[in-house]
Amino acid sequence: MGRQNHKHLVLKCNKGINQQADLADPDECADALNVWAPNGAIEQRPGFSGYDSMFVAGDAIETQSQEVHVLSALGVYSSAAEGAKVALDDHPVGGHWFLGFSEITDLGSDDDRAQLLSFKGAFDGTKNNANATWMRADYWNGTEWKYIRVSERLSTTKSSKHLDSAGTSAYALSFVSPADWASSVINSRTAYYLRFTIQDNALDDEVEINNAAGSLQSVSPVHDVTRGLFVAQFKTKKRYFYLLNPSAGLRAVLGSTLDMEDYSNSGTETRVVADELASIAVVPQFDEAFVAYGGMVTRFEAAEGLSSTVGANVAKVEDADFAVGEGARFDPTFIALLAEWPRARFITFYNGMLWCAGIDGEQFTVKWSASAPFHRVWSALSFSVLMEDDNSPITGLSALGENVVVFKSDSVWIMVNVGENPATGLDDFQPIRVVAGVGCVSNASIQRIRGGLIFLAEDGVYRFDGTPNIVKLSDRIGKTIESISPSRRHLAASVHWRTKSCYLLSVAVDGSHDNNKTIVYDYKNDAFWLWDVPAKLWLLDEDAHDNERLYFINQYAQVFEMGAGNHDHGAAISSNILTQRIGENLNTKITIRQVEVLSDNRTSSLSVAVRHNDDENSETTGTLDLTDSTEATYGTAVDGVDKYVQDRRRPRRLSYRKQGDWLQVKISHSTKNTPMTIAGIDVGYVPGGRR
């Protein structure tokens, strides 16, 4: 059949995923993974890099006893197996020492997904370093030594002295195990090595590491203790909060940096058995924050670390005489006050007041405090019960416009100011149910975006703007929504990635116990995408120059920075798109004769498969090479030797003879450290006989 009979369908596939095949636009994808189209062309999603593991001295989640080697390299290697010591006396600038681990996963645990988090070495108190220096850490990836971020925790004060015991008996190194960490042989010992190179100043003439037995810390989903990760900007300083719930008891950690290299440790509370996530209310003008989890509210102070008051760490109602007492603003003789802080699961600070809900034994009740500076005063009459014909529990708190919004499982309410309560002299609020039949299933899914609240309900993602006209956004990804594990919906976590104009929602799908997929709603382009980012919690931060930084923590208590590089901490990003059915609505069979993809030389290569009649096993696959023999490989050009490699759009074509009632094209990419771009797909086909 002559070429003149070819028909061409040009697809951009940049309008997101639409799993409603019969309603989909041709430029929407039937399926896609790890791609998006922020600028009009399909791109591979941003990668992430390991930032730190949330190990804090004294908070060992699970200690593994396996062989660990500490090796020094000063011309001649010396070594210390587990339980022995190795000297680093006079170790010079540029000198190396190594930590080698016999395993980095499957660490002897009953759960075969255990991950290495950190190493804790003991030091001789009379043989620690006094010279101010630092170290660079690298790992072996099978080809070369690559930089890895390693945090040092010695005490509650950061030290500039590498290997300084700071008067303690332990020294901790925490890190995220790279996905491409390879074993190697050093001094006849095979292990997964970290290489440390001394910078600036040599070590003292007496420095010694005791490779203590059982010095490795690990965690697995069986021991997943993370319950909250927050950042708060106070008047003059920033603080990070990490809430964990190990078997020893509820613990909270406060630090001035995300890696918690300096930290205040709350000590141990009675363990709260609650499979849920914490919430936070920040009161910046008073340098304090309140974290609610499992019916316990903990108060933090930015200036002093964790506040220890009644019950060691439990938030305490105000009792200072400027606020409470005879002749004070709140005299218990005339105003009934709560003697204890509400035992809440949800807390927020809005319009100068603290709001609590999800209260033990009062699952339909919302309570609010007096206005700042009396925000720790709670009137016994400042509450409201949200019931009517909806007896579902309160599931979340947020704020929108002038009102606090209260979410229940099956409804949305706003708290309306109705004036002063004559009995208390405090503002009173009346709950009004705005939406019936739709509610929120996860407090951590709520994000305020462009004058509305986006959140996860039982049947999808919705947007609430304060009126009854609630909008369902997620019909296009209905199959993915249906695959969310019902028992894990309440642990869905979200973030508003402002600079990317995206709402990210991490959920557990296909029976997973942990969040294993992230739904991405690009609201600027009104498009949905799916990424395999396993975020348990998200944290949005800003650096010293007000640049946005996005982090997430996974089920192993490992923290990653999102948007860093073209790989996932050493692992290749596997991405693909699948077109809608081509020729489905024709009354003839069709034959695809060619597929031309417009990409660029940075992409390197693409796999192109043609599928007929929804049969994955019928795919015919070919490979497109986007390189050019006249230029160096992108990213490896040597100045003065190779030609400078510019970004160039390139069309590349494959020929096929694939027939079906309808066909689909799938394009895949999985080259490590290489981006992917697809600006268009030209499908050449020939109509055939009637079906």
Side-chain angles (χ1 to χ4, degrees), residues 575-577 597 603 605-610 619-626 654 656 665-670 676 678:
S575 53
N576 63 76
I577 61 171
V597 180
T603 303
S605 66
L606 294 169
S607 176
V608 182
V610 176
E619 291 181 350
T620 301
T621 304
T623 301
L624 291 177
D625 186 354
L626 279 301
L654 287 172
Y656 293 87
V665 176
K666 182 177 182 179
I667 300 179
S668 306
H669 178 270
S670 59
M676 179 192 74
I678 299 174

Side-chain angles (χ1 to χ4, degrees), residues 341-374:
W341 200 276
R343 298 185 63 82
R345 285 170 167 78
F346 312 116
I347 190 167
T348 192
F349 181 71
Y350 196 63
N351 282 340
M353 291 177 287
L354 287 167
W355 298 74
C356 282
I359 301 167
D360 279 358
E362 301 177 76
Q363 58 182 341
F364 310 112
T365 301
V366 177
K367 296 184 178 183
W368 56 91
S369 72
S371 296
F374 307 108

Side-chain angles (χ1 to χ4, degrees), residues 12 14 36-43 499-500 522 524-525 529 649 677-679:
K12 292 186 70 68
N14 62 351
W36 61 333
N39 299 307
I42 292 288
E43 298 178 15
T499 57
K500 307 297 184 183
D522 176 354
K524 183 177 73 173
N525 297 300
W529 305 99
R649 283 283 173 90
T677 300
I678 299 174

Side-chain angles (χ1 to χ4, degrees), residues 3 593-597 623-624 651-656:
R3 181 179 175 86
R593 299 300 302 270
Q594 71 176 41
V595 176
E596 182 176 280
V597 180
T623 301
L624 291 177
R652 289 292 187 267
R653 181 183 304 169
L654 287 172
S655 296
Y656 293 87

Side-chain angles (χ1 to χ4, degrees), residues 243 277-281 290-298 344-347:
L243 191 74
L277 302 177
S279 60
I280 189 171
F290 300 86
V291 174
Y293 166 73
M296 180 179 292
V297 179
T298 307
R345 285 170 167 78
F346 312 116
I347 190 167

Side-chain angles (χ1 to χ4, degrees), residues 62 80 251 282 295 309 319 376 459 608:
E62 182 177 343
R251 188 179 297 272
V282 180
T309 54
D319 59 2
R376 284 187 277 156
D459 63 338
V608 182

Side-chain angles (χ1 to χ4, degrees), residues 54 56 225-226 228-229 240-244 251-253 260 553 557:
M54 277 301 172
V56 178
V225 300
T226 299
L229 182 63
Y240 297 83
F241 304 86
Y242 178 52
L243 191 74
L244 61 160
R251 188 179 297 272
V253 181
M260 303 291 178
I553 189 168

